[in-house]
Amino acid sequence: MRRQLIAGNWKMHKNSETARGFAKEFIKLYDFTPEVDVCIAAPFTELLALEEMFRDTDLLTAAQNMHFEDQGAFTGEISAPMLAEIGVDYVIIGHSERRAYFAETDEMVNKKVKKAFQWNITPIICCGETLAQRDQGLETHIVRHQVVMALAGLPDELVAKAAIAYEPVWAIGTGRVATPQQAEDMSKVIRDVVRVYHGDAADSVRILYGGSVKPENAKEILDMEDIDGALVGGASLDPVDFLKIIQAAEN
Ligand code: PGA
């Protein structure tokens, strides 16, 4: 049985006051359920505060990105050991916004995934096609390629621990959500390709859906057989909405 993972992705939102306000309210509302892991990917500047506030809870933290080297002359970057030192549990890698605006390549994603595991941080590896690619019927080709490249050279035991988020670019922040069947179909494609390259790790790897997940649509998406959680952007900014999505994963 795979545990569901509900990951909030705050992107470049919230400051120290609003992040702490969220955490305070959310800790009050949140009731641990053994079937679901919950993490929040906050901006780097808020991660330590969240770590401290979540210490006596089952809530976990995530970074939204990291560099693939441990240290060095990389102005503006944050490394895996820096995240590990403050206790960060997950890291989002290869989000489509990183790929589109910061020129992240499949090779960089692969290096980051390996580095995250070295420091015991679980990567949430993002993949997904653009609208133009889907219109040309290229979506499965694109997603398979991204997944194979991201996991290249990783031992199967680590692949089994990874999370892969399918996030069609046309559904991110647009309010246009993939149908549960579209999300399920692509999750199957992902699980199948993981099986080809990494055998039984395919049964353990968690596959999330991301792209305009809201309290209203979460349940039908999370009920799909091959979907093991959600990566939630906009709706994770509000504690009540985020909680409703977690509750949808519970039942
Ligand atoms: P969204 O973002 O839920 O606001 O569409 C999802 C994501 O980019 O991870």
Side-chain angles (χ1 to χ4, degrees), residues 185-221:
D185 289 348
M186 193 59 87
S187 300
K188 269 212 168 71
V189 166
I190 294 169
R191 209 175 294 287
D192 287 348
V193 78
V194 172
R195 194 175 304 286
V196 170
Y197 287 85
H198 301 279
D200 291 346
D203 296 322
S204 308
V205 70
R206 289 188 284 184
I207 300 176
L208 319 186
Y209 168 78
S212 299
V213 175
K214 306 276 178 250
E216 305 78 53
N217 59 28
K219 186 164 167 44
E220 50 175 359
I221 294 169

Short mmCIF file of all heavy atoms in Angstrom, two decimals, residues 185-221:
data_model
loop_
_atom_site.label_atom_id
_atom_site.label_comp_id
_atom_site.label_asym_id
_atom_site.label_seq_id
_atom_site.Cartn_x
_atom_site.Cartn_y
_atom_site.Cartn_z
N ASP A 185 -4.45 8.11 -16.62
CA ASP A 185 -3.80 7.50 -17.78
C ASP A 185 -2.30 7.82 -17.77
O ASP A 185 -1.46 6.96 -18.01
CB ASP A 185 -4.42 8.00 -19.10
CG ASP A 185 -5.82 7.45 -19.30
OD1 ASP A 185 -6.21 6.52 -18.56
OD2 ASP A 185 -6.53 7.97 -20.18
N MET A 186 -1.96 9.08 -17.49
CA MET A 186 -0.54 9.45 -17.50
C MET A 186 0.19 8.84 -16.31
O MET A 186 1.36 8.46 -16.43
CB MET A 186 -0.37 10.96 -17.52
CG MET A 186 1.03 11.38 -17.86
SD MET A 186 1.60 10.78 -19.47
CE MET A 186 0.99 12.11 -20.52
N SER A 187 -0.49 8.71 -15.19
CA SER A 187 0.15 8.07 -14.04
C SER A 187 0.50 6.62 -14.37
O SER A 187 1.55 6.12 -13.98
CB SER A 187 -0.76 8.13 -12.82
OG SER A 187 -1.03 9.46 -12.51
N LYS A 188 -0.37 5.98 -15.11
CA LYS A 188 -0.11 4.59 -15.54
C LYS A 188 1.10 4.55 -16.48
O LYS A 188 1.95 3.67 -16.37
CB LYS A 188 -1.32 4.04 -16.30
CG LYS A 188 -2.31 3.33 -15.43
CD LYS A 188 -2.99 2.18 -16.25
CE LYS A 188 -3.76 1.27 -15.33
NZ LYS A 188 -4.97 1.96 -14.82
N VAL A 189 1.13 5.50 -17.40
CA VAL A 189 2.27 5.59 -18.33
C VAL A 189 3.57 5.70 -17.52
O VAL A 189 4.58 5.04 -17.79
CB VAL A 189 2.11 6.80 -19.29
CG1 VAL A 189 3.41 7.12 -20.01
CG2 VAL A 189 0.98 6.56 -20.27
N ILE A 190 3.53 6.56 -16.50
CA ILE A 190 4.72 6.78 -15.67
C ILE A 190 5.08 5.50 -14.91
O ILE A 190 6.24 5.07 -14.90
CB ILE A 190 4.50 7.96 -14.69
CG1 ILE A 190 4.36 9.26 -15.48
CG2 ILE A 190 5.63 8.05 -13.67
CD1 ILE A 190 3.88 10.45 -14.67
N ARG A 191 4.09 4.88 -14.31
CA ARG A 191 4.38 3.65 -13.55
C ARG A 191 4.94 2.56 -14.48
O ARG A 191 5.86 1.83 -14.12
CB ARG A 191 3.14 3.16 -12.79
CG ARG A 191 3.51 2.39 -11.52
CD ARG A 191 2.32 2.00 -10.67
NE ARG A 191 1.59 3.08 -10.07
CZ ARG A 191 2.02 3.82 -9.04
NH1 ARG A 191 3.19 3.58 -8.50
NH2 ARG A 191 1.28 4.80 -8.54
N ASP A 192 4.38 2.48 -15.67
CA ASP A 192 4.85 1.46 -16.62
C ASP A 192 6.31 1.70 -17.03
O ASP A 192 7.10 0.77 -17.12
CB ASP A 192 3.97 1.44 -17.88
CG ASP A 192 2.60 0.82 -17.58
OD1 ASP A 192 2.45 0.22 -16.49
OD2 ASP A 192 1.70 0.97 -18.42
N VAL A 193 6.65 2.96 -17.27
CA VAL A 193 8.03 3.22 -17.70
C VAL A 193 9.00 3.02 -16.54
O VAL A 193 10.13 2.56 -16.73
CB VAL A 193 8.18 4.60 -18.41
CG1 VAL A 193 8.23 5.75 -17.42
CG2 VAL A 193 9.44 4.62 -19.26
N VAL A 194 8.56 3.33 -15.33
CA VAL A 194 9.41 3.06 -14.16
C VAL A 194 9.63 1.54 -14.07
O VAL A 194 10.74 1.08 -13.77
CB VAL A 194 8.80 3.63 -12.86
CG1 VAL A 194 9.58 3.17 -11.64
CG2 VAL A 194 8.77 5.16 -12.92
N ARG A 195 8.60 0.76 -14.35
CA ARG A 195 8.75 -0.70 -14.27
C ARG A 195 9.76 -1.23 -15.30
O ARG A 195 10.57 -2.10 -15.01
CB ARG A 195 7.40 -1.40 -14.47
CG ARG A 195 7.40 -2.87 -14.05
CD ARG A 195 6.02 -3.51 -14.14
NE ARG A 195 4.99 -2.83 -13.39
CZ ARG A 195 4.88 -2.86 -12.06
NH1 ARG A 195 5.71 -3.58 -11.35
NH2 ARG A 195 3.93 -2.19 -11.44
N VAL A 196 9.72 -0.64 -16.48
CA VAL A 196 10.65 -1.09 -17.54
C VAL A 196 12.10 -0.87 -17.09
O VAL A 196 12.95 -1.73 -17.27
CB VAL A 196 10.37 -0.33 -18.86
CG1 VAL A 196 11.47 -0.60 -19.88
CG2 VAL A 196 9.01 -0.70 -19.42
N TYR A 197 12.37 0.29 -16.50
CA TYR A 197 13.76 0.63 -16.16
C TYR A 197 14.16 0.25 -14.73
O TYR A 197 15.33 0.07 -14.45
CB TYR A 197 14.01 2.13 -16.37
CG TYR A 197 14.07 2.51 -17.82
CD1 TYR A 197 12.91 2.78 -18.55
CD2 TYR A 197 15.29 2.57 -18.50
CE1 TYR A 197 12.95 3.10 -19.90
CE2 TYR A 197 15.35 2.90 -19.84
CZ TYR A 197 14.18 3.17 -20.54
OH TYR A 197 14.24 3.48 -21.86
N HIS A 198 13.17 0.18 -13.83
CA HIS A 198 13.51 -0.02 -12.41
C HIS A 198 12.69 -1.11 -11.73
O HIS A 198 12.58 -1.14 -10.51
CB HIS A 198 13.38 1.31 -11.65
CG HIS A 198 14.27 2.39 -12.20
ND1 HIS A 198 15.61 2.48 -11.88
CD2 HIS A 198 14.01 3.39 -13.07
CE1 HIS A 198 16.13 3.51 -12.53
NE2 HIS A 198 15.19 4.08 -13.26
N GLY A 199 12.09 -1.98 -12.52
CA GLY A 199 11.41 -3.17 -11.99
C GLY A 199 10.35 -2.85 -10.95
O GLY A 199 9.53 -1.94 -11.12
N ASP A 200 10.41 -3.58 -9.84
CA ASP A 200 9.36 -3.49 -8.82
C ASP A 200 9.32 -2.16 -8.08
O ASP A 200 8.37 -1.92 -7.32
CB ASP A 200 9.53 -4.62 -7.78
CG ASP A 200 9.23 -5.97 -8.39
OD1 ASP A 200 8.63 -5.99 -9.49
OD2 ASP A 200 9.59 -7.00 -7.78
N ALA A 201 10.33 -1.32 -8.28
CA ALA A 201 10.26 0.02 -7.69
C ALA A 201 8.98 0.71 -8.15
O ALA A 201 8.45 1.60 -7.46
CB ALA A 201 11.48 0.85 -8.09
N ALA A 202 8.45 0.29 -9.29
CA ALA A 202 7.22 0.89 -9.83
C ALA A 202 6.04 0.72 -8.88
O ALA A 202 5.12 1.54 -8.88
CB ALA A 202 6.89 0.27 -11.19
N ASP A 203 6.06 -0.32 -8.06
CA ASP A 203 4.94 -0.55 -7.14
C ASP A 203 5.01 0.37 -5.93
O ASP A 203 4.02 0.56 -5.24
CB ASP A 203 4.94 -2.01 -6.65
CG ASP A 203 4.71 -2.97 -7.81
OD1 ASP A 203 3.90 -2.62 -8.69
OD2 ASP A 203 5.35 -4.03 -7.84
N SER A 204 6.20 0.89 -5.64
CA SER A 204 6.36 1.73 -4.44
C SER A 204 6.44 3.22 -4.76
O SER A 204 6.10 4.05 -3.92
CB SER A 204 7.65 1.35 -3.70
OG SER A 204 7.67 -0.03 -3.46
N VAL A 205 6.95 3.56 -5.94
CA VAL A 205 7.13 4.98 -6.26
C VAL A 205 5.76 5.67 -6.19
O VAL A 205 4.76 5.11 -6.61
CB VAL A 205 7.79 5.15 -7.66
CG1 VAL A 205 6.84 4.75 -8.79
CG2 VAL A 205 8.28 6.57 -7.87
N ARG A 206 5.75 6.87 -5.59
CA ARG A 206 4.46 7.56 -5.48
C ARG A 206 4.30 8.52 -6.65
O ARG A 206 5.21 9.28 -6.96
CB ARG A 206 4.39 8.30 -4.15
CG ARG A 206 4.26 7.31 -3.01
CD ARG A 206 3.98 7.99 -1.71
NE ARG A 206 5.17 8.61 -1.16
CZ ARG A 206 5.19 9.20 0.04
NH1 ARG A 206 4.10 9.29 0.75
NH2 ARG A 206 6.31 9.71 0.50
N ILE A 207 3.15 8.45 -7.27
CA ILE A 207 2.88 9.32 -8.41
C ILE A 207 1.77 10.30 -8.01
O ILE A 207 0.68 9.89 -7.62
CB ILE A 207 2.50 8.49 -9.65
CG1 ILE A 207 3.66 7.54 -9.98
CG2 ILE A 207 2.17 9.41 -10.82
CD1 ILE A 207 3.39 6.59 -11.12
N LEU A 208 2.12 11.58 -8.07
CA LEU A 208 1.18 12.62 -7.67
C LEU A 208 0.64 13.29 -8.92
O LEU A 208 1.28 13.29 -9.97
CB LEU A 208 1.86 13.69 -6.81
CG LEU A 208 2.87 13.27 -5.72
CD1 LEU A 208 3.29 14.49 -4.93
CD2 LEU A 208 2.31 12.22 -4.81
N TYR A 209 -0.52 13.93 -8.77
CA TYR A 209 -1.01 14.78 -9.83
C TYR A 209 -0.92 16.23 -9.36
O TYR A 209 -1.19 16.51 -8.18
CB TYR A 209 -2.47 14.46 -10.21
CG TYR A 209 -3.03 15.54 -11.10
CD1 TYR A 209 -2.68 15.58 -12.45
CD2 TYR A 209 -3.79 16.58 -10.58
CE1 TYR A 209 -3.11 16.62 -13.26
CE2 TYR A 209 -4.22 17.63 -11.38
CZ TYR A 209 -3.88 17.64 -12.72
OH TYR A 209 -4.28 18.68 -13.51
N GLY A 210 -0.55 17.13 -10.23
CA GLY A 210 -0.54 18.55 -9.90
C GLY A 210 -1.07 19.37 -11.07
O GLY A 210 -0.83 19.03 -12.24
N GLY A 211 -1.74 20.45 -10.74
CA GLY A 211 -2.30 21.33 -11.77
C GLY A 211 -3.74 21.66 -11.41
O GLY A 211 -4.64 20.86 -11.66
N SER A 212 -3.93 22.82 -10.76
CA SER A 212 -5.27 23.31 -10.39
C SER A 212 -6.06 22.33 -9.53
O SER A 212 -7.28 22.22 -9.66
CB SER A 212 -6.06 23.69 -11.65
OG SER A 212 -5.39 24.73 -12.34
N VAL A 213 -5.36 21.63 -8.62
CA VAL A 213 -6.06 20.78 -7.65
C VAL A 213 -6.71 21.72 -6.61
O VAL A 213 -6.06 22.62 -6.09
CB VAL A 213 -5.11 19.80 -6.94
CG1 VAL A 213 -5.85 19.02 -5.84
CG2 VAL A 213 -4.49 18.83 -7.95
N LYS A 214 -8.00 21.50 -6.39
CA LYS A 214 -8.77 22.34 -5.47
C LYS A 214 -9.60 21.41 -4.59
O LYS A 214 -9.78 20.24 -4.91
CB LYS A 214 -9.75 23.23 -6.27
CG LYS A 214 -9.10 24.08 -7.35
CD LYS A 214 -8.53 25.38 -6.79
CE LYS A 214 -7.85 26.19 -7.87
NZ LYS A 214 -6.42 26.28 -7.80
N PRO A 215 -10.16 21.95 -3.48
CA PRO A 215 -11.03 21.10 -2.65
C PRO A 215 -12.15 20.45 -3.46
O PRO A 215 -12.53 19.32 -3.21
CB PRO A 215 -11.60 22.08 -1.62
CG PRO A 215 -10.60 23.19 -1.54
CD PRO A 215 -10.00 23.31 -2.91
N GLU A 216 -12.64 21.16 -4.47
CA GLU A 216 -13.81 20.66 -5.23
C GLU A 216 -13.45 19.49 -6.15
O GLU A 216 -14.31 18.70 -6.52
CB GLU A 216 -14.41 21.76 -6.11
CG GLU A 216 -14.82 23.03 -5.37
CD GLU A 216 -13.64 23.94 -5.03
OE1 GLU A 216 -12.87 24.27 -5.96
OE2 GLU A 216 -13.46 24.29 -3.85
N ASN A 217 -12.21 19.42 -6.63
CA ASN A 217 -11.90 18.35 -7.59
C ASN A 217 -10.94 17.30 -7.03
O ASN A 217 -10.62 16.32 -7.70
CB ASN A 217 -11.35 18.94 -8.91
CG ASN A 217 -10.08 19.76 -8.68
OD1 ASN A 217 -9.32 19.52 -7.74
ND2 ASN A 217 -9.83 20.73 -9.55
N ALA A 218 -10.47 17.52 -5.80
CA ALA A 218 -9.39 16.66 -5.29
C ALA A 218 -9.81 15.20 -5.16
O ALA A 218 -9.07 14.29 -5.53
CB ALA A 218 -8.91 17.18 -3.94
N LYS A 219 -11.02 14.97 -4.66
CA LYS A 219 -11.39 13.60 -4.33
C LYS A 219 -11.42 12.69 -5.55
O LYS A 219 -10.86 11.60 -5.55
CB LYS A 219 -12.73 13.56 -3.59
CG LYS A 219 -13.04 12.15 -3.11
CD LYS A 219 -14.11 12.07 -2.07
CE LYS A 219 -14.60 10.65 -1.87
NZ LYS A 219 -13.53 9.64 -1.81
N GLU A 220 -12.02 13.19 -6.62
CA GLU A 220 -12.14 12.30 -7.80
C GLU A 220 -10.76 12.03 -8.43
O GLU A 220 -10.54 10.97 -9.00
CB GLU A 220 -13.15 12.81 -8.82
CG GLU A 220 -12.99 14.24 -9.21
CD GLU A 220 -13.96 14.65 -10.32
OE1 GLU A 220 -14.73 13.81 -10.78
OE2 GLU A 220 -13.89 15.83 -10.72
N ILE A 221 -9.85 12.97 -8.26
CA ILE A 221 -8.49 12.73 -8.78
C ILE A 221 -7.76 11.73 -7.86
O ILE A 221 -7.17 10.76 -8.32
CB ILE A 221 -7.71 14.06 -8.88
CG1 ILE A 221 -8.34 14.97 -9.92
CG2 ILE A 221 -6.24 13.80 -9.22
CD1 ILE A 221 -7.83 16.39 -9.93
#
